[in-house]
Amino acid sequence: MFEMRSDGESHMDKFIYLDNAATTRTSPAVVEAMLPFFSEYYGNASGIYSIGVKSKEAISESREIIATTLGAKPEEIYFTAGGSESDNWALKATSEVFAAGGLPNRGNKGAGDDSLPVRNHIITTKIEHHAILHTCEYLQKQGIEVTYVNVDENGLVNLKELERAIRPETFLISVMFANNEVGTIQPIREIGEIAKKHGILFHTDAVQAYGHLPIHVEELHIDMLSASAHKLNGPKGVGFLYIRRNLRISSFIHGGAQERKRRAGTENVPGIVGFGQAAKDAFETMEKRSAYETELRDYLIARILKEIPYSRLNGHRTKRLSNNANFSFQFVEGESLLIMLDMEGICGSSGSACTSGSLDPSHVLLSLGLPEDLAHGSLRLTLSAETTREEIDVTVETIKKIVERLRSMSPQYEDFCRHM
Ligand SMILES: *Cc1c(COP(=O)(O)O)cnc(C)c1O
């Protein structure tokens, strides 16, 4: 769709890349925008000499671009080293401020003051990314209480259960904007309204959504939002946390005065510039790109479900990211399917990149209520604007062949056919 495939004889052209939820190709326009900030304008952004000023201006420009995309103010955008860091910051720093044992200015005014409850409770969901789930587990060891709300069979958060989970001690609700494995988009506005009504902070891990869906932090009542550049054709290792102004949250990295003293460290200028360019491009092309991806996604889904028996689509049929398709094939091991696809030059995933390589079934698919064997036999294919219909056709034909082959070797399948 976009002319991004310019690497000529590169062997990568032979691959069909369908793992864009894990990471995306850094676009040539982004690389071009970043390059001068490595060896030409390499000055420290805090310096007063002119090449430093150039870095400083470039950072400001990226911050402005990103703020505009969210309906936020530039001073509400804090650059980090990626989505995981932003998620860690949002959860750990608010816990520190609100929970007992935190900073002196914490919600309860200190020992002996019974007029205000200790606020030490977080509500999140069972299908969050590990950057949230493992941070919650860590915080639980520090005495924070966490409720993990259920989702329905399509991956949608149960809003009634979420509201019922609220206690006087709850200080934070953290629900992802869209799920990285099955692509389900959550009712973020409703969740924001619930949080606001109860005077609770609302954080959303929007790493999969930012650059792919329109987001307005005011309209959606979002207090904190995590995003990462490499999920929208930007570079790896740079992200941001949106923090609503006047929100009490402690600094994450202590050191220099960068990022309004909240996240110290010499700025990753090329990365931040690349993120700004990626955000600009993503928002300019969003409508066209998502229409293109949705059509291709639906074509892929329709063909797989029609042409491969005992296959199912995981996640919501329509409330899903435009580039996400996630399937389960009965009697097929996801890992074997992936390995055989890789041998044919097709890159897919069995779920989150963090769990592939381990034999645990996906926590997301189990939460959707899939039995273990189906949660093991899943295949996630995530498209991009560069994906072509021919690539989808080749992929479908290849999956058909492989699934047939794997089933022909499966004793369970043989058994199943015999009893039909
Ligand atoms: C990729 C991803 C992250 C982690 O982002 P990094 O920049 O790789 O640290 C967090 N949450 C979700 C939903 C993701 O998809």
Side-chain angles (χ1 to χ4, degrees):
M1 183 192 185
F2 302 108
E3 283 156 48
M4 284 168 65
R5 298 204 145 222
S6 53
D7 33 11
E9 80 277 15
S10 159
H11 73 285
M12 291 299 286
D13 275 358
K14 294 202 206 93
F15 282 87
I16 297 179
Y17 184 75
L18 296 173
D19 201 15
N20 287 282
T23 196
T24 58
R25 180 170 122 100
T26 311
S27 80
V30 167
V31 174
E32 201 186 315
M34 291 171 72
L35 281 178
F37 291 91
F38 285 101
S39 45
E40 206 174 326
Y41 307 121
Y42 53 84
N44 191 311
S46 307
I48 54 157
Y49 35 81
S50 57
I51 56 167
V53 169
K54 191 91 181 164
S55 303
K56 194 176 174 169
E57 283 171 359
I59 292 172
S60 295
E61 198 185 321
S62 284
R63 205 186 302 280
E64 263 164 48
I65 291 169
I66 287 169
T68 305
T69 62
L70 291 168
K73 301 255 188 322
E75 63 270 22
E76 296 174 314
I77 305 299
Y78 295 83
F79 288 111
T80 65
S84 301
E85 183 186 318
S86 299
D87 285 347
N88 271 259
W89 185 2
L91 269 54
K92 289 177 183 171
T94 49
S95 296
E96 216 172 64
V97 170
F98 284 95
L103 298 178
N105 67 339
R106 64 188 189 261
N108 53 326
K109 293 209 185 76
D113 184 349
D114 302 326
S115 60
L116 287 161
V118 175
R119 295 180 75 178
N120 66 345
H121 179 235
I122 295 176
I123 299 171
T124 185
T125 79
K126 290 190 173 157
I127 62 161
E128 298 296 310
H129 189 273
H130 283 132
I132 293 291
L133 291 179
H134 290 167
T135 303
C136 283
E137 283 168 28
Y138 165 82
L139 289 170
Q140 282 178 294
K141 288 193 200 121
Q142 319 288 312
I144 301 289
E145 292 180 24
V146 183
T147 301
Y148 301 90
V149 174
N150 286 299
V151 295
D152 69 10
E153 69 275 14
N154 295 316
L156 282 171
V157 169
N158 185 329
L159 291 175
K160 287 208 187 78
E161 191 184 324
L162 182 121
E163 195 160 11
R164 272 201 306 271
I166 294 173
R167 311 175 190 166
E169 305 88 62
T170 311
F171 65 89
L172 178 69
I173 295 174
S174 179
V175 177
M176 68 199 323
F177 209 110
N179 183 265
N180 48 303
E181 289 190 38
V182 295
T184 302
I185 301 167
Q186 299 299 343
I188 292 299
R189 181 188 303 268
E190 285 83 349
I191 297 167
E193 277 163 8
I194 291 172
K196 193 176 176 200
K197 188 171 95 187
H198 292 269
I200 297 166
L201 293 180
F202 177 36
H203 166 256
T204 184
D205 173 343
V207 175
Q208 288 292 326
Y210 182 73
H212 299 273
L213 292 169
I215 301 175
H216 195 291
V217 287
E218 296 294 337
E219 283 171 14
L220 301 176
H221 307 296
I222 294 166
D223 295 302
M224 292 178 285
L225 177 146
S226 308
S228 182
H230 75 101
K231 305 289 176 99
L232 51 136
N233 303 104
K236 291 162 184 60
V238 58
F240 71 78
L241 180 64
Y242 157 80
I243 307 175
R244 180 183 292 282
R245 62 196 160 281
N246 303 330
L247 195 141
R248 290 186 309 163
I249 180 170
S250 46
S251 303
F252 197 53
I253 308 275
H254 301 94
Q258 294 91 352
E259 300 299 302
R260 313 181 72 204
K261 296 189 186 159
R262 283 175 151 179
R263 201 279 183 188
T266 302
E267 296 90 343
N268 171 7
V269 183
I272 291 169
V273 168
F275 199 174
Q277 183 69 42
K280 188 162 174 275
D281 296 345
F283 280 82
E284 272 169 18
T285 59
M286 187 182 288
E287 217 172 304
K288 212 172 126 204
R289 180 164 41 98
S290 89
Y292 175 82
E293 287 172 352
T294 303
E295 198 190 326
L296 212 52
R297 174 200 75 188
D298 289 345
Y299 173 69
L300 166 67
I301 292 172
R303 277 201 67 183
I304 293 279
L305 297 184
K306 181 155 168 264
E307 297 174 37
I308 303 182
Y310 312 114
S311 59
R312 57 161 280 158
L313 177 72
N314 299 316
H316 199 282
R317 182 63 197 84
T318 53
K319 288 176 190 156
R320 75 186 299 137
L321 291 168
S322 59
N323 72 342
N324 175 295
N326 186 311
F327 305 100
S328 283
F329 303 98
Q330 244 179 299
F331 315 108
V332 171
E333 244 270 317
E335 296 291 321
S336 322
L337 176 55
L338 275 182
I339 291 164
M340 289 171 78
L341 275 174
D342 178 50
M343 293 193 298
E344 304 283 337
I346 298 171
C347 314
S349 149
S350 64
S352 64
C354 325
T355 49
S356 50
S358 83
L359 287 171
D360 290 340
S362 144
H363 68 282
V364 175
L365 295 179
L366 290 178
S367 301
L368 263 57
L370 262 71
E372 281 224 12
D373 59 323
L374 282 185
H376 267 300
S378 75
L379 172 68
R380 179 184 74 180
L381 300 174
T382 42
L383 327 184
S384 77
E386 294 184 280
T387 310
T388 64
R389 185 172 281 253
E390 292 71 50
E391 288 180 322
I392 295 297
D393 284 329
V394 171
T395 302
V396 172
E397 293 304 329
T398 310
I399 295 172
K400 271 164 74 172
K401 263 193 331 212
I402 294 173
V403 166
E404 234 169 78
R405 227 183 110 205
L406 288 172
R407 280 179 179 165
S408 74
M409 302 186 301
S410 154
Q412 289 95 329
Y413 186 61
E414 202 183 310
D415 222 40
F416 174 79
C417 292
R418 206 177 301 128
H419 291 94
M420 267 201 343

